[in-house]
């Protein structure tokens, strides 16, 4: 039996024994006696009687161990032309000061703090400062517009909001503070205070008695820096909202203890990164990849993490990633396949890789969307290092399937993220709940309990956690992805089974876009589908039927609808194409045939569903779908 097989088997047959051993990857204040609390099944709790502090584990302990002078964070920002490094000792000083300032503003253990920020060191400092005082952070991606930010503020009800005055996109400055002001107008919840990081590219107007400058908070905190607060392993560390099938975003809750253990374990065993090594996850702190692998995991193991404020192309060119790797000696790089496709499109032969010395790079990890075999092959060819696909979700927080580079590297197969990671009992189930034979596609499920580090609930809504994820097949977590296990035990992930689409590695809900379109006074009904796109994986397209009597030209309404989605959801929604049609194909019971529409748009020739209400409607829309 291979090391991998033995480790995986132990983790599934004896999860308590397995994770009891791994618990020592982190420092505890009160070590856990109980490893797993099964009493509340199907909701499980890891290390229920342990206490610790995540910030201590990510920062303080490395300084205590004598590594204060090692670089913890490298901020590399081609969009502002600046670079800054923070050693572990400097990070500790900044985090303790900001945490002290936050505490003096009245933020205490269990309070929520919404963070709406660009990729700047202050964002990482704010996250760690929350962890330090036991506050629960909720980072909102900068590409979301005011109504989405407001929805998250109303759900999390933060005591404080921390925002940067602006974000910098290659073609424009995004006025985050103005968006925050708009969001607070829309929200019913009123935070006590907003802390603003002023950036010279777009200094914001502060609202008296509500807003305070970051520098003032840090200055006040320097004289009374905050110590680490003891929290229960099961206390929430953060809430991260993700798209679901309904319009309401789901607040995925992550705990402190299980999360710290899982992060430390995965950084070493999946990504093969340890103390002192340089690691770069080219994502955004607004996504789970950013939470897990820009901030927590690399710092928990004492590595150096790169925080990159730029794009794979255009900042300034398709050699940007290779420049960062060479300049900082990056050993492991993690990004989304879209980023590699964007680079390949501009530099098809990969010539720019030879401009830089990439000798430090050992592995390229790709995740966030399906890795197409062509991108996989191209990246391997031009970089000459293993390309490792890994499959996971906001909900799990770390890879469910991967090639375990630090534990037992194994051959890779194009089109597969390799094997189930220890801790995850992956089952592919048919509609009847029976296991699908090897090679047969079904719903990818995880047998409970989920390992440490996975979501513990939906924020303040255990019932929603159970009904959304744990009720489809008894005793299992439903991933929402379909796929199959092959004869060698390799998992193949084929796509979502719900209306979630994946655009540039960003997870978006077509349901949310439909809700925005439906709010336009001229729209009678609508459908948004995700069609295949060479660069971004998928791309949303909207189809609307207008109310009778609407006289405005179709092109005018289409443009208004594109603008509407952008202002309601944000630029990240990227709905750039809306088409007015005279009918949407439906079943006799009134369900819009989105899957058939998507398949036609993707150039397939799906059979006409037997349940269709009117074939003529489908035939009329075919040319507009482009199939
Ligand atoms: N704040 C504000 N706006 C943002 C933003 C942020 N943090 N991030 C993106 N946007 C905006 C962009 O400016 C763009 O706006 P536009 O419509 O005015 O051009 C829109 O949101 C879409 O952004 P993006 O998906 O980044 O598209 P792009 O065309 O700017 O770039 C790629 C295309 C491929 C370069 C880009 O998608 C990319 O880097 N992908 C990597 C994927 C990734 O890191 N995924 C994270 C999960 S691992
Ligand atoms: P997110 O929660 O934003 O990380 O998105 C998770 C979803 O992205 C998964 O449910 C998959 O649909 C998709 N996804 C992520 N990684 C992969 C991968 N390696 N292969 C295929 N799909 C992936």
């Amino acid at each position: 039996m291979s090391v991998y097989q033995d480790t995986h088997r132990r983790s599934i047959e004896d999860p308590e024994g397995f994770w009891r051993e791994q618990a020592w990857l982190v420092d505890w204040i009160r070590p856990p006696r109980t490893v797993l609390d099964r009493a509340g099944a199907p909701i499980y709790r890891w290390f229920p009687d342990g206490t610790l502090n995540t910030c201590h584990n990510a920062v303080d302990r490395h300084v205590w161990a004598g590594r204060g002078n090692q670089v913890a964070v490298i901020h590399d920002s081609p969009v502002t032309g600046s670079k800054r490094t923070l050693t572990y000792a400097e990070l500790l000083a900044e985090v303790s000061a900001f945490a002290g300032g936050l505490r003096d503003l009245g933020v205490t253990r269990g309070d929520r703090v919404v963070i709406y920020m660009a990729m700047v060191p202050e964002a990482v400092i704010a996250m760690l400062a929350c962890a330090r005082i036991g506050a629960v952070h909720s980072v909102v991606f900068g590409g979301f517009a005011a109504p989405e930010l407001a929805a998250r503020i109303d759900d999390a009800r933060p005591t404080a909001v921390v925002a940067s005055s602006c974000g910098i996109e290659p073609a424009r400055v995004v006025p985050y503070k103005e968006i925050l002001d708009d969001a607070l107008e829309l929200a019913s919840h009123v935070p006590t205070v907003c802390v603003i990081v002023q950036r010279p590219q777009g200094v914001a107007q502060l609202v008296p008695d509500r807003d305070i400058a970051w520098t003032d908070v840090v200055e006040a905190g320097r004289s009374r820096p905050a110590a680490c607060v003891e929290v229960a392993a099961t206390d929430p560390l953060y809430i991260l909202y993700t798209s679901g099938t309904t319009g309401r975003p789901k607040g995925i809750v992550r705990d402190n203890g299980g999360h710290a253990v899982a992060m430390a374990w995965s950084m070493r065993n999946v990504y093969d990164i340890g103390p002192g090594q340089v690691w770069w996850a080219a994502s955004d702190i607004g996504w789970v990849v950013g939470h897990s692998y820009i901030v927590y995991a690399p710092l928990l193991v004492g590595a150096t993490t790169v925080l990159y404020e730029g794009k794979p192309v255009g900042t300034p060119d398709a050699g940007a990633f290779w420049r960062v790797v060479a300049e900082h000696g990056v050993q492991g790089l993690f990004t989304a396949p879209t980023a590699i496709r964007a680079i390949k499109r501009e530099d098809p032969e990969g010539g720019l890789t030879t401009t830089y010395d990439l000798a430090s790079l050992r592995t390229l990890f790709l995740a966030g969307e399906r890795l197409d075999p062509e991108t996989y092959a191209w990246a391997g060819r031009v970089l000459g290092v293993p390309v490792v696909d890994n499959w996971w979700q906001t909900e799990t927080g770390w890879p469910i399937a991967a090639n375990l580079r630090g534990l037992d590297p194994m051959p890779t197969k194009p089109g597969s993220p390799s094997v189930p990671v220890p801790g995850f009992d992956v089952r592919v189930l048919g509609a009847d709940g029976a296991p699908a034979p090897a090679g047969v596609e079904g719903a990818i499920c995880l047998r409970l309990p989920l390992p440490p580090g996975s979501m513990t609930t939906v924020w303040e809504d255990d019932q929603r956690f159970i009904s959304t994820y744990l009720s489809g097949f008894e005793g299992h977590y439903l991933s929402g992805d379909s796929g199959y296990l092959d004869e060698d035990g390799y998992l193949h992930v084929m796509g979502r089974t719900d209306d979630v689409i994946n655009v540039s590695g960003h997870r978006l809900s077509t349901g949310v876009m439909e809700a925005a379109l439906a709010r336009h006074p001229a729209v009678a009904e609508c459908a948004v589908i995700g069609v295949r796109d060479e660069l971004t994986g998928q791309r949303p397209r909207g189809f609307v039927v207008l109310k009778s009597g609407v006289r405005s030209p179709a092109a005018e309404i289409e443009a208004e609808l594109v603008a509407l989605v952008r202002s309601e959801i944000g630029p990240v929604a990227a709905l750039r194409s809306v088409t007015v049609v005279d009918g949407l194909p439906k079943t006799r019971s009134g369900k819009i045939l989105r899957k058939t529409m998507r398949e036609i748009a993707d150039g397939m020739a799906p059979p006409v569903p037997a349940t269709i209400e009117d074939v003529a409607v489908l035939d009329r829309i075919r040319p507009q779908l482009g199939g």
Side-chain angles (χ1 to χ4, degrees), residues 14 142 187 195 198 222 237 242 271 277-278 285 296-298 307 324 531 587:
D14 177 20
V195 181
Q198 294 284 22
R222 289 224 194 271
L237 170 69
T242 190
Y271 300 105
Q277 298 187 319
V278 183
I285 47 143
Y296 286 110
L307 181 72
V324 173
V531 301
T587 62

Side-chain angles (χ1 to χ4, degrees), residues 119 197 291 457:
M119 289 283 285
V197 176
H291 281 66
T457 190

Side-chain angles (χ1 to χ4, degrees), residues 440-465:
V440 175
E441 192 173 332
I444 310 179
C445 298
L446 307 172
R447 201 162 162 72
L448 299 177
L450 295 174
S454 303
M455 70 186 292
T456 53
T457 190
V458 172
W459 174 245
E460 290 187 326
D461 200 346
D462 284 353
Q463 211 36 57
R464 192 167 176 205
F465 178 36

Side-chain angles (χ1 to χ4, degrees), residues 368-370 389-394 481 493 496 502 507:
E369 59 182 311
R370 186 174 167 271
D389 186 4
N390 50 120
W391 170 66
W392 48 294
Q393 321 179 296
T394 305
D481 282 304
V493 181
R496 298 287 305 190
N502 202 310
R507 174 169 160 182

Side-chain angles (χ1 to χ4, degrees), residues 138-182:
S138 185
V139 181
V140 179
F141 178 61
F144 284 117
E148 288 289 315
L149 177 58
R152 286 154 175 78
I153 288 173
D154 275 340
D155 197 69
R157 289 175 289 106
T159 306
V161 178
V162 184
S164 44
S165 58
C166 64
I168 295 144
E169 287 295 292
R172 71 203 151 98
V173 172
V174 185
Y176 283 5
K177 172 58 168 49
E178 283 173 27
I179 298 170
L180 171 62
D181 289 342
D182 292 347

Side-chain angles (χ1 to χ4, degrees), residues 141-143 169 172 176 282-283 311-312 338 504-506 566 571 576:
F141 178 61
E169 287 295 292
R172 71 203 151 98
Y176 283 5
S283 177
K311 303 270 175 181
T338 301
S504 301
H506 307 323
R566 192 177 168 93
R576 297 198 174 104

